[in-house]
Amino acid sequence: MGQSKSVFSQEELEEYQDLTYFSKAEIVHAFERFRALDEVHVDQNRHAPIRLATILAQFPEIRVNPFGERICKLFSSDGEGNLTFEDFLDMMSVFSENADKDVKTEWAFMIYDFNNDNVIDRSDLTTLLSKLCGEESRAPPEEQISEETMKEVIDKIISEGDLDDDGMLSYPEFEHAILKSPDFFGTFRIRM
C-alpha cells in the first residue's frame, strides 16, 4: 500500500481528483486495484496499458458483466479494450456512486449503442438482450429467451421509448426512459 501512495505526486493526485468523482484516497485505492490486475507489468511501467484479456480474466466486476468487453473498449485510449491507469480511473469514476446521473446516462447510451450510429435501434436492442438473456448470455439454453420473446420485448421498448415514432431511441429518448428508472443508477456502478 505504501508503494502506491508514493507513485503519484500531490499535483497528479489533485489533477486526477479534478477530473474524476474521487477523493485522493479513492484514487490511490483505484491504482491499487489497477496494479493488482497485473503487478509485474504495472510495476515496470505504470503508464503502460493492461491488456483486455487480463482485465477480463482478473477484474471480477468486468468479468461477470455481460458488457465487460464493450465497456473496456469504450474507455480504452486505443479502442481495443487495453486500459491504462487513466482509462481505468475514468471507467471507475463513471461507474462510481458519486458520478453524475447525466454522465452515467451518456456512457450507458454509448455502451448500448453497439453499432455506434448514435441511436439505439433494433439491432442494438437485439445485441443487448442477447447478452443479457439470450444466446450470448451465460444462461443455460433452457433459461434463454426465445427469438419471439426477444422481438416482443424489443417492440415494447421501442413503443414505450420512441417518442418521435422513427423506430429507434435517440439519446434524448433514451435519457427520458432512463430517468424514469431510478433503480438503473443503483445498478450502473462498480464498487471500489
Side-chain angles (χ1 to χ4, degrees):
M1 197 153 134
Q3 181 181 2
S4 344
K5 288 188 183 204
S6 65
V7 169
F8 303 109
S9 68
Q10 274 304 114
E11 185 177 299
E12 285 175 309
L13 284 173
E14 288 169 8
E15 185 175 339
Y16 287 145
Q17 188 175 16
D18 289 343
L19 297 172
T20 66
Y21 294 96
F22 291 136
S23 67
K24 291 175 186 174
E26 289 169 325
I27 292 163
V28 169
H29 183 66
F31 181 74
E32 291 168 356
R33 293 216 49 200
F34 178 75
R35 183 177 174 268
L37 297 174
D38 190 348
E39 289 183 21
V40 172
H41 187 78
V42 173
D43 286 349
Q44 289 174 352
N45 179 358
R46 75 173 170 109
H47 299 289
I50 294 178
R51 293 178 21 134
L52 174 63
T54 301
I55 295 163
L56 293 173
Q58 300 297 323
F59 194 42
E61 292 89 340
I62 291 294
R63 182 177 58 241
V64 300
N65 189 314
F67 310 108
E69 184 173 338
R70 171 88 176 147
I71 291 167
C72 289
K73 286 181 177 181
L74 284 171
F75 279 94
S76 70
S77 301
D78 67 7
E80 299 295 319
N82 307 309
L83 299 178
T84 64
F85 173 65
E86 290 180 355
D87 297 334
F88 181 82
L89 189 62
D90 286 343
M91 177 182 74
M92 295 298 286
S93 180
V94 167
F95 282 95
S96 73
E97 291 182 26
N98 296 328
D100 185 284
K101 287 182 179 182
D102 291 338
V103 170
K104 287 183 176 287
T105 303
E106 288 174 31
W107 279 97
F109 185 83
M110 288 188 282
I111 291 166
Y112 302 150
D113 179 17
F114 292 96
N115 56 17
N116 302 315
D117 61 358
N118 296 315
V119 294
I120 296 180
D121 57 21
R122 290 182 176 278
S123 171
D124 296 317
L125 291 170
T126 299
T127 302
L128 185 141
L129 290 173
S130 182
K131 287 181 175 295
L132 287 175
C133 49
E135 291 178 4
E136 293 183 56
S137 72
R138 293 181 178 100
E142 65 275 6
E143 293 178 16
Q144 295 174 10
I145 64 171
S146 67
E147 286 194 32
E148 181 180 323
T149 302
M150 189 178 295
K151 184 184 177 322
E152 290 171 9
V153 171
I154 291 169
D155 289 344
K156 184 79 169 162
I157 292 169
I158 296 289
S159 72
E160 289 186 11
D162 179 20
L163 303 176
D164 62 5
D165 294 323
D166 63 356
M168 58 191 80
L169 302 179
S170 63
Y171 178 75
E173 291 168 329
F174 177 80
E175 181 180 38
H176 179 75
I178 289 296
L179 292 175
K180 293 191 312 187
S181 305
D183 56 327
F184 171 78
F185 296 104
T187 60
F188 198 80
R189 69 174 180 212
I190 298 174
R191 293 183 194 265
M192 286 279 279

